[in-house]
């Protein structure tokens, strides 16, 4: 990298995580993130400033199209998030586009995620008397069926409680549910394509099952297996996540001066820092 | 429709139009344009057994639940995002079973409001099948499409008894001017039996017409001028949301005692003019300072 060695020689895990999410976006895609998702939100702006300048970025709870916010605030529907947008969709305009298949990618997370990428953001424990009532799914139980591809993410893989054998409640659709797969259900969306966690990067095999593809350099395959509540498929050629470029790091720091992305992580994860010798 | 030319009334009289047991739609969403003055007044009046409906909400729904005003919660999300986390009173009530959770989905609620607006008995949605959401909604059904043979989930109309909306500006007739996102407010206005609105500022009809009316007065039954009526939510272009106050609320609401203390201090001890005094002129001025510069705006959230 040229001229910015100070930027590219050291970085923190939260910065790298956001860069990894950004890389799941392809140029010219129509992309959306849900509310309360600062990592995904920052990642979308990073992608648009780096490798995906022609994406259509739809801002989570403002429905602003291609805004250039002066900073990312800690709430998803602050007016700062429509700065620079020539147009903001109405609520129904966005959801109609998502339901008819005009949105290419959405970011989704969950308190529980199973091997097929079904997610639970409703309640942990029995529904009648939940152990933890989570916030709820927003629009996910419909639009996860029809959006082109899903990028899942979690910053709580290590807890052992997130990647589970089966979700206590399925809020959003993965590849296969107890009621059948996407073909049986008549769903046109492609389902989960990637899952990025603080332990590694995963894709989904031809059976729709989560598969380890890349590790962060301070994580081992055994770490991942120990934290995962189901028998994990491991790719033959598990690699290491490519370090962020200076361009990517600069974009993260410019997009998110308040560091809202950090609110998603356990404090111990924020201590992970990396460097390359200059 | 509501054809009177002057629908101004007091906040107490307007809130008295909401009855125990009503299905109540709450306008705005997350941290923006929540009808907080009406929420606080419903708490003062001791309203009970409300069935609240809406999309993604925060302190409005949580406070009503914490005050014991809600029996059924049919929102797509209740919480304070990543920043301040789960909704304390909602969580406690759901886990203890003191409210009925009918968690819904933004698309489903929109579809049900459209059915009510159109006067049809049901509409289909594309998703839901394969999820556990129908376990919370015995009123949903499945139907085979007569044209394609697809099996779709169909949902009944949602016709709230009353929608509580907040706008930065409106006139005596009830014409409301809003900034985006309008969220579901326009659909609530069409689908509900009546709308009760608060505005930060009442202006002349020429002014609302000049800015462009978002929700026409013929949907609105009552309108009340309440400065900072959405606080601690935002009401742009007037004021940003009060993150510090949200934080104060979330911390207090984590225990029943703390919740009671918050309500006593901020809601039950006085009316809205006293609420503004208690929040303080300095704090309120700070929330309007977002217009000064990007740095001033950013500072509000640091």
């Amino acid at each position: 990298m040229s001229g910015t060695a100070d930027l590219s020689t050291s970085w923190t895990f939260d910065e790298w995580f956001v860069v990894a999410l950004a890389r799941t976006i392809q140029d010219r895609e129509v992309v959306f993130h849900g509310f309360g998702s600062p990592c995904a939100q920052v990642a979308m702006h990073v992608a648009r400033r780096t490798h995906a300048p022609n994406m259509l970025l739809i801002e989570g709870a403002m429905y602003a199209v291609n805004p250039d916010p002066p900073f990312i605030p800690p709430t998803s529907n602050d007016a700062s998030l429509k700065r620079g947008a020539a147009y903001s969709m109405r609520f129904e305009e966005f959801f109609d586009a998502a339901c008819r298949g005009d949105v290419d990618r959405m970011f989704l997370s969950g308190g529980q995620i199973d091997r097929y990428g079904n997610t639970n953001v409703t309640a942990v424990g029995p529904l009648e008397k939940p152990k933890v009532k989570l916030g709820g799914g927003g629009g996910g139980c419909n639009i996860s069926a029809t959006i082109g591809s899903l990028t899942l993410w979690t910053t709580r893989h290590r807890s052992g409680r997130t990647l589970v054998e089966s979700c206590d409640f399925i809020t959003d659709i993965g590849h296969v549910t107890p009621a059948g797969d996407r073909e049986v259900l008549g769903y046109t969306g492609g389902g989960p394509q990637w899952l990025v966690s603080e332990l590694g990067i995963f894709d989904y095999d031809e059976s729709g099952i989560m598969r380890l593809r890349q590790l962060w350099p301070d994580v081992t395959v055994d770490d991942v297996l120990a934290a995962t509540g189901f028998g994990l498929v491991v790719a033959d050629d598990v690699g290491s996540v490519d370090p962020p470029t200076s361009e990517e790091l600069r974009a993260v720091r410019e997009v998110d001066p308040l560091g809202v992305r950090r609110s998603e992580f356990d404090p111990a994860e924020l201590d992970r820092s990396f460097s390359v010798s200059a | 429709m509501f054809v009177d030319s002057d629908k101004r009334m007091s906040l107490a009289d307007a809130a008295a139009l909401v009855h125990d047991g009503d299905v109540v739609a709450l306008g705005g969403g997350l941290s923006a344009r929540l009808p907080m003055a009406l929420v606080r007044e419903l708490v003062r009046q001791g309203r009970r057994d409300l069935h609240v409906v809406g999309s993604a909400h925060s302190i409005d729904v949580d406070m009503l639940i914490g005050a014991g005003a809600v029996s059924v919660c049919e929102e797509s999300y209740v919480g304070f995002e990543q920043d301040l986390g789960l909704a304390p009173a909602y969580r406690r009530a759901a886990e203890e079973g003191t409210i009925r959770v009918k968690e819904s989905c933004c698309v489903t609620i929109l579809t049900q409001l459209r059915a009510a607006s159109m006067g049809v008995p049901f509409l289909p949605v594309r998703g839901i099948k394969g999820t556990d959401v129908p376990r919370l909604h015995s009123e949903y059904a499945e139907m085979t499409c007569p044209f394609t043979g697809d099996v779709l989930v169909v949902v009944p109309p949602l016709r709230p008894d009353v929608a509580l909306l907040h706008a930065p500006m409106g006139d005596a007739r009830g014409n409301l001017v809003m900034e985006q996102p309008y969220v579901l407010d326009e659909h609530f206005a069409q689908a509900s039996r009546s709308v009760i609105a608060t505005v930060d500022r009442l202006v002349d009809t020429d002014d609302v017409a000049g800015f462009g009316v978002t929700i026409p007065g013929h949907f609105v039954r009552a309108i009340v001028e309440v400065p900072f009526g959405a606080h601690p939510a935002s009401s742009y272009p007037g004021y940003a949301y009060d993150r510090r106050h949200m934080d104060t609320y979330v911390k207090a609401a984590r225990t029943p005692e703390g919740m009671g203390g918050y309500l006593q201090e901020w809601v039950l001890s006085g009316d809205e003019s006293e609420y503004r005094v208690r929040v303080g002129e300095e704090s309120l001025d700070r929330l309007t300072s977002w217009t000064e510069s990007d740095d001033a705006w950013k500072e509000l959230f640091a």
Side-chain angles (χ1 to χ4, degrees), chain A residues 193-245:
Chain A
Q193 183 183 24
W194 298 103
L195 186 151
V196 178
S197 89
E198 83 280 28
L199 300 182
I201 297 179
F202 309 81
D203 67 359
Y204 291 83
D205 69 13
E206 55 286 350
S207 311
I209 294 174
M210 184 175 144
R211 171 172 62 188
L212 176 63
R213 290 297 302 274
Q214 293 186 329
L215 287 167
W216 304 101
D218 56 347
V219 176
T220 67
V221 173
D222 285 343
D223 293 337
V224 181
L225 293 174
T228 305
F230 49 84
L232 189 64
V233 178
V234 179
D236 295 335
D237 56 343
V238 172
S240 216
V241 183
D242 283 340
T245 65

Side-chain angles (χ1 to χ4, degrees), chain B residues 4-242:
Chain B
D4 293 336
S5 57
D6 188 354
K7 297 160 187 163
R8 290 171 298 172
M9 63 175 74
S10 72
L11 184 65
D13 289 346
L17 298 171
V18 182
H19 302 109
D20 287 357
D22 274 357
V23 176
V24 179
L26 294 158
L30 293 175
S31 67
R33 272 192 318 91
L34 304 178
M36 290 307 299
L38 280 163
V39 164
R40 287 186 286 265
E41 186 59 24
L42 291 174
V43 173
R44 291 182 196 110
Q45 295 185 10
R47 207 64 76 249
R48 287 289 178 269
D49 291 327
L50 301 179
H51 175 156
V52 292
V53 298
S55 52
H57 282 255
S58 67
I59 190 171
D60 49 347
V61 173
D62 201 65
M63 187 183 294
L64 285 171
I65 291 172
V70 174
S71 58
V72 182
C73 183
E74 191 168 2
E75 306 279 334
S76 73
Y77 169 89
V78 187
F80 294 82
E81 308 175 72
Q82 280 296 320
D83 189 34
L84 302 173
L86 298 175
Y90 177 51
R91 186 182 162 184
R92 189 162 50 245
E95 291 169 15
E96 292 174 357
T98 55
I99 58 167
R100 184 162 161 231
V101 174
K102 287 188 69 176
E103 185 179 304
S104 190
C105 163
C106 297
V107 173
T108 311
I109 297 250
L110 170 66
T111 304
Q112 294 184 270
L113 293 169
R114 279 173 162 163
S117 298
M118 295 162 68
V120 295
F122 70 88
L123 283 174
V125 293
R126 180 52 83 171
I128 295 183
K129 280 193 304 176
T131 74
D132 285 311
V133 173
R135 288 169 60 195
L136 302 170
H137 295 273
S138 57
E139 73 276 22
Y140 297 174
E142 288 192 357
M143 191 175 167
T144 303
C145 171
F147 304 107
T148 64
D150 290 354
V151 176
L152 298 167
V153 172
V154 294
V155 293
L158 176 61
R159 187 148 168 72
D161 293 304
V162 57
L164 309 181
L165 307 183
H166 181 83
M169 202 189 296
D171 71 359
R173 192 178 277 275
N175 293 305
L176 305 177
V177 178
M178 294 174 180
E179 280 202 359
Q180 283 186 308
Y182 308 137
V183 199
L184 283 169
D185 288 23
E186 297 160 292
H187 295 275
F188 284 149
Q190 288 191 66
S192 300
R193 295 179 202 283
S194 66
V195 172
I196 299 172
T198 52
V199 289
D200 296 310
R201 201 156 59 94
L202 266 174
V203 296
D204 292 337
T205 297
D206 285 349
D207 291 328
V208 294
F211 280 103
V213 170
T214 314
I215 289 175
H218 53 252
F219 289 130
V220 177
R221 181 172 179 193
I223 187 164
V224 188
E225 184 182 62
V226 187
F228 292 95
H231 183 275
S234 66
S235 180
Y236 284 103
Y239 47 96
Y241 86 121
D242 189 339

